[in-house]
Amino acid sequence: MDVEQAARDLRNRTLSDIPRSLDRLIYLASMRDYNTGLYYHDGLASRFTQEVACEALAQCHREAFTQLVGCSLRDLVGQMEGYIDSTHTSPRDFVAAWKKLEPYRVAVPVETDPVSAQLLFSSFKIALAILETRLPSVLAQSSA
Amino acid sequence: MISLIFFLAIGALLFLSLFLLARRKPRAEGSSGALVEARQALTALQDGLLPAALVRRVFAKEDWEYVRSEAPKAVRELFVDERRSLAILWLTQVRAQIRSLGRFHRGTARHYANLNPRLELRLAVSFAALTGACSVLQVLVYVGGPYVAPRMVGAVAGALQGACKISEESLAFLNAARLGTLAGATRS
C-alpha cells in the first residue's frame, strides 16, 4: 500500500514533468546505484522510507520501460529527437556517443525478459541509424 | 532340469525387478525441481513472451513501412537483420519454454497435477504441434524475414495461450508460498 502511495507521489510530483517515456526511463535508471541495483531518491525516502521509495522507483522504472517497448519505431525516433534537443548536445556528437557507448543497455530494469530488452536495444540501434541519415540535412539547415 | 532351474531363476529375477520398479517412489528433489521449472516456464511464457503487446511489436509491420518510407537501403537492411534476429530469438525462447513445460507434463505432472488422461494427451499433442510450428516458423523467418508468416505467428501465440491456460489450471495448487518452499528445497 505504501509503495503504491509512494509511486503515485513520484508520478504526480516528478514524473508528470517528464512527458516522454524515454526521458523517464533515463531519469529513473539514473536513480539506481549500479553497484547494488537499489534506487535512491532523498525526497521520496524522507516522505516514506528508503525501502518503500526504492520499490516505488523500481515500479515506475518498469512502467517507463514497458511504455517505451510498446512505442512504434516512428515514435521512438521522435522521442530521441526531442531528447537530443533537451540535452543541448550536437546531434552528431549525440548519435556518435550513443552508437559507441550504447548507454541504453544499462537503462533497463532488472529481471527484464531478454526478448523485451533485445527489442528495445534493437529499436535504439535502428533509430540511431535513421537519425544519422538525417544529420547532413540538420547541418545544412543550421548553416543556411 | 538345468534349463528349468535357469528359466525359473530368470523369471524370479524379472519378478523381483518388476516389484522393485513398482515400489520405487519419485525422487523428491527431482520432482520439486521439475515443478519449479514448470512454473517458471509458464510464467516466462505468460508474462514475458506471449503478451499481445510484445508479439505485436516484434512482428510490427508498421515499423517496416516507416523504415521503408524514411530510410536509405543500408538502414532498411539493418532493420530487416535486426528484426529477423529478434523474431528468431522470440521463437527460440518460446520453443525452449514449451519443451520445458511439455517435459513436465510428460514426466512429472501425473504425480501432482489434477489432470485426466484425455487432457494430458491433449496437452502433449498441443505442445508437440507447437514445438514443430515454432521450428517451421524459425526456418521461414530465417529465409523470408520477420513478416513472412504473420497469420502463423498469431495462430501459434493464440494456441499457446490456450495450452498455457490448461497447464496453469493443472498447476494451480502450486501457489507462491508452496513454490518458494519447493525452490528452497531444490537449492539446498
Side-chain angles (χ1 to χ4, degrees):
Chain A
M1 187 61 193
D2 271 356
V3 173
E4 279 306 317
Q5 249 180 314
R8 210 167 28 246
D9 187 276
L10 184 66
R11 283 186 210 109
N12 293 339
R13 286 174 190 257
T14 311
L15 300 179
S16 57
D17 294 332
I18 310 174
R20 284 184 297 263
S21 45
L22 170 62
D23 298 42
R24 281 201 296 274
L25 183 84
I26 292 168
Y27 167 74
L28 290 161
S30 74
M31 298 280 108
R32 184 174 56 185
D33 180 342
Y34 293 115
N35 297 318
T36 60
L38 297 174
Y39 297 80
Y40 293 96
H41 188 294
D42 289 341
L44 203 60
S46 68
R47 282 191 292 281
F48 299 89
T49 64
Q50 173 50 42
E51 288 75 25
V52 167
C54 176
E55 189 44 48
L57 284 155
Q59 189 179 314
C60 291
H61 192 192
R62 287 193 293 270
E63 280 169 15
F65 174 80
T66 305
Q67 279 170 6
L68 198 60
V69 167
C71 286
S72 66
L73 192 59
R74 181 192 294 272
D75 193 6
L76 183 66
V77 171
Q79 289 202 36
M80 286 184 75
E81 282 175 327
Y83 182 74
I84 295 170
D85 270 355
S86 72
T87 60
H88 306 294
T89 316
S90 124
R92 188 174 291 279
D93 291 346
F94 180 92
V95 170
W98 272 49
K99 278 183 81 172
K100 202 192 258 179
L101 299 172
E102 301 184 338
Y104 45 82
R105 287 190 180 271
V106 290
V108 299
V110 285
E111 291 176 11
T112 298
D113 75 274
V115 176
S116 296
Q118 199 52 48
L119 169 60
L120 190 64
F121 299 159
S122 166
S123 295
F124 270 123
K125 199 171 169 183
I126 299 158
L128 284 167
I130 292 171
L131 289 173
E132 195 172 30
T133 64
R134 293 178 182 176
L135 282 175
S137 63
V138 171
L139 289 177
Q141 275 173 5
S142 62
S143 63
Chain B
M1 187 65 184
I2 291 171
S3 59
L4 180 65
I5 292 169
F6 177 73
F7 283 117
L8 278 173
I10 288 179
L13 268 174
L14 282 172
F15 183 76
L16 188 68
S17 312
L18 276 174
F19 179 72
L20 289 174
L21 271 174
R23 272 180 57 92
R24 197 178 65 164
K25 284 181 186 163
R27 277 169 47 206
E29 185 189 307
S31 301
S32 58
L35 273 171
V36 173
E37 198 183 305
R39 189 72 237 187
Q40 284 168 346
L42 198 57
T43 306
L45 281 169
Q46 290 181 314
D47 298 346
L49 294 164
L50 292 178
L54 178 72
V55 179
R56 202 168 42 241
R57 281 261 55 86
V58 171
F59 296 94
K61 206 158 185 192
E62 61 167 306
D63 286 350
W64 167 235
E65 275 152 15
Y66 168 66
V67 170
R68 200 170 54 179
S69 67
E70 296 273 329
K73 194 180 170 209
V75 179
R76 293 202 296 267
E77 285 172 358
L78 171 72
F79 176 87
V80 172
D81 283 349
E82 285 287 324
R83 283 295 194 264
R84 179 189 283 126
S85 304
L86 189 67
I88 289 173
L89 173 68
W90 181 80
L91 287 162
T92 307
Q93 297 266 331
V94 166
R95 198 162 159 255
Q97 302 302 349
I98 296 173
R99 289 179 76 162
S100 172
L101 212 49
R103 250 196 322 272
F104 169 76
H105 279 283
R106 275 198 309 275
T108 322
R110 68 179 63 90
H111 298 302
Y112 295 95
N114 195 17
L115 282 178
N116 63 42
R118 226 173 109 187
L119 212 54
E120 276 196 68
L121 184 68
R122 206 176 119 196
L123 264 182
V125 171
S126 292
F127 285 138
L130 286 164
T131 309
C134 283
S135 304
V136 171
L137 266 174
Q138 276 180 311
V139 175
L140 289 176
V141 168
Y142 184 78
V143 175
Y147 309 112
V148 71
R151 281 188 188 172
M152 194 170 168
V153 170
V156 166
L160 190 49
Q161 273 162 349
C164 282
K165 203 149 180 61
I166 298 172
S167 178
E168 188 182 24
E169 281 162 15
S170 76
L171 287 168
F173 70 98
L174 190 61
N175 57 28
R178 177 101 195 267
L179 188 68
T181 315
L182 286 174
T186 309
R187 274 196 299 274
S188 61

